[in-house]
């Protein structure tokens, strides 16, 4: 299961929409959708870690583990 699928699944289990996550995180819906679609290259590299970290927190996943799965560290976040 990709990171996008994992986050989307957790979001749906929590009965949250893309708009809900966007509203709570102040991340534009197009970037939430890009994460769901595992299209991480669409997100500016300078924001990628932060967006994934915030999304993971909002759906109840451990953001450190999610970032580690992607090979991203928490340094500079």
């Amino acid at each position: 299961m990709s990171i996008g699928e994992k986050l989307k699944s957790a979001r749906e289990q929590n009965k949250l929409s893309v708009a809900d996550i966007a509203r709570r995180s102040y991340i534009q819906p197009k970037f939430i959708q890009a994460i769901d679609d595992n299209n991480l290259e669409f997100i500016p590299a300078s924001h990628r870690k932060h967006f994934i970290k915030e999304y993971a927190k909002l759906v109840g996943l451990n953001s450190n583990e999610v970032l580690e799965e992607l090979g991203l560290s928490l340094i500079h976040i």
Side-chain angles (χ1 to χ4, degrees):
M1 179 179 281
S2 71
I3 294 300
E5 291 169 333
K6 188 178 284 191
L7 290 167
K8 181 179 179 179
S9 176
R11 176 177 59 74
E12 290 173 343
Q13 286 176 0
N14 284 292
K15 300 187 185 327
L16 296 168
S17 68
V18 168
D20 292 330
I21 298 297
R23 193 171 30 260
R24 293 176 186 190
S25 67
Y26 302 102
I27 299 169
Q28 293 180 38
K30 67 181 180 181
F31 294 128
I32 301 300
Q33 189 63 55
I35 294 170
D36 281 358
D37 295 340
N38 217 47
N39 184 15
L40 303 181
E41 295 78 28
F42 178 75
I43 303 166
S46 60
H47 291 76
R48 199 171 294 149
K49 290 180 197 177
H50 175 72
F51 287 0
I52 294 168
K53 178 182 173 187
E54 290 304 310
Y55 190 167
K57 280 198 244 181
L58 287 170
V59 297
L61 297 179
N62 183 309
S63 58
N64 293 335
E65 289 176 8
V66 170
L67 290 175
E68 283 177 19
E69 267 187 67
L70 284 173
L72 302 172
S73 73
L74 288 176
I75 298 171
H76 305 296
I77 293 185

